[in-house]
Amino acid sequence: MKKNYTSFILLIAVISSYAQPVLNQSDFNSTYRSDSYSANDILGLSPGSAGSNQTWNFSGLSVTLDGTFDVVPVTSTPYTSNFPTANFAFKSVSTGNSDYYIYYKTSPTTFESVGGADDTYIDLEIDHTTLFQFPYTYNTVINDTYQYVGDIIVSSFTSTYDGYGTLITPYGTYTNVIRQKKVEIDGSDTYTDYLWFTTNPFKFIMAMGFLTNGTDSSNY
């Protein structure tokens, strides 16, 4: 998750040119289990540059193992009946927290979030969040809104497939990685999120978020 380039890595980035990764509905067809790490509020943290054939080097970041993050069959989850349109799900297990399930709906054209749940509350989206449009290609821009049941606020955001390349983390190096940038403005708050993932099959690797409030900023 962070920064530390070497000349060898830069050389590899220069001489290696990858085809632009493309995400399709067919990439959401497998289950997997992965460890989950966290590193919050790092002073001076930068997400790196947008563009083609980037190297995002976060190998110097100190991270803490705090749980697991899995793709699971929707029918194996305890809240299936609350999300009848869902056909894809994540299970998040973290130390000191209840197991949390996030539900999605995939179709030949889109991948949408439909809500999440744990043993204390259920969040249903009546206006679903469009995360990807298929085929998801470099420089694709998505403008969308979403709303939760019982909430009068309709939130809007813009997300962009803004880069692809190699991602170096404290726990591994990944090639042909897509980066998505999402910007959401809520009053005086601006949330900027970055998501890195691979395709064929889809596998979430890393997320980084920044909150700007007036003149103050932090990451999460």
Side-chain angles (χ1 to χ4, degrees), residues 125-139:
E125 294 187 29
I126 53 177
D127 181 8
H128 298 164
T129 305
T130 301
L131 300 177
F132 306 115
Q133 295 173 340
F134 303 130
Y136 192 59
T137 57
Y138 181 45
N139 286 328

Side-chain angles (χ1 to χ4, degrees), residues 166-181:
T166 299
L167 175 67
I168 306 173
T169 76
Y171 46 87
T173 297
Y174 304 85
T175 58
N176 293 324
V177 171
I178 290 174
R179 188 178 81 171
Q180 182 187 69
K181 178 182 179 181

Side-chain angles (χ1 to χ4, degrees), residues 12-218:
I12 294 297
V14 170
I15 66 176
S16 299
S17 181
Y18 298 102
Q20 298 174 7
V22 177
L23 185 68
N24 291 289
Q25 184 197 21
S26 59
D27 294 320
F28 295 86
N29 61 1
S30 67
T31 60
Y32 65 83
R33 163 160 290 191
S34 59
D35 291 331
S36 175
Y37 297 83
S38 64
N40 295 327
D41 207 12
I42 308 299
L43 184 64
L45 181 64
S46 169
S49 300
S52 60
N53 295 311
Q54 295 294 317
T55 297
W56 299 288
N57 191 337
F58 303 123
S59 59
L61 185 72
S62 177
V63 297
T64 302
L65 178 66
D66 64 2
T68 57
F69 195 74
D70 311 332
V71 172
V72 295
V74 173
T75 54
S76 72
T77 69
Y79 309 104
T80 304
S81 61
N82 299 103
F83 302 92
T85 63
N87 53 14
F88 191 84
F90 281 117
K91 177 183 179 181
S92 176
V93 179
S94 58
T95 304
N97 296 307
S98 301
D99 295 352
Y100 188 71
Y101 296 85
I102 313 170
Y103 294 86
Y104 302 88
K105 176 185 176 182
T106 69
S107 74
T109 56
T110 59
F111 181 85
E112 300 176 308
S113 170
V114 298
D118 61 14
D119 59 8
T120 59
Y121 62 91
I122 295 174
D123 281 333
L124 296 170
E125 294 187 29
I126 53 177
D127 181 8
H128 298 164
T129 305
T130 301
L131 300 177
F132 306 115
Q133 295 173 340
F134 303 130
Y136 192 59
T137 57
Y138 181 45
N139 286 328
T140 294
V141 177
I142 299 172
N143 293 290
D144 197 22
T145 62
Y146 66 92
Q147 183 180 13
Y148 289 99
V149 172
D151 194 341
I152 62 173
I153 299 174
V154 178
S155 300
S156 61
F157 67 87
T158 298
S159 66
T160 307
Y161 176 165
D162 79 340
Y164 63 89
T166 299
L167 175 67
I168 306 173
T169 76
Y171 46 87
T173 297
Y174 304 85
T175 58
N176 293 324
V177 171
I178 290 174
R179 188 178 81 171
Q180 182 187 69
K181 178 182 179 181
K182 177 183 173 185
V183 179
E184 180 175 337
I185 299 175
D186 182 7
S188 62
D189 295 336
T190 300
Y191 296 89
T192 304
D193 297 320
Y194 295 88
L195 175 69
W196 287 264
F197 56 90
T198 58
T199 66
N200 194 30
F202 172 88
K203 188 170 185 180
F204 165 75
I205 305 174
M206 193 177 81
M208 185 185 299
F210 297 87
L211 168 61
T212 302
N213 185 335
T215 59
D216 296 326
S217 62
S218 60

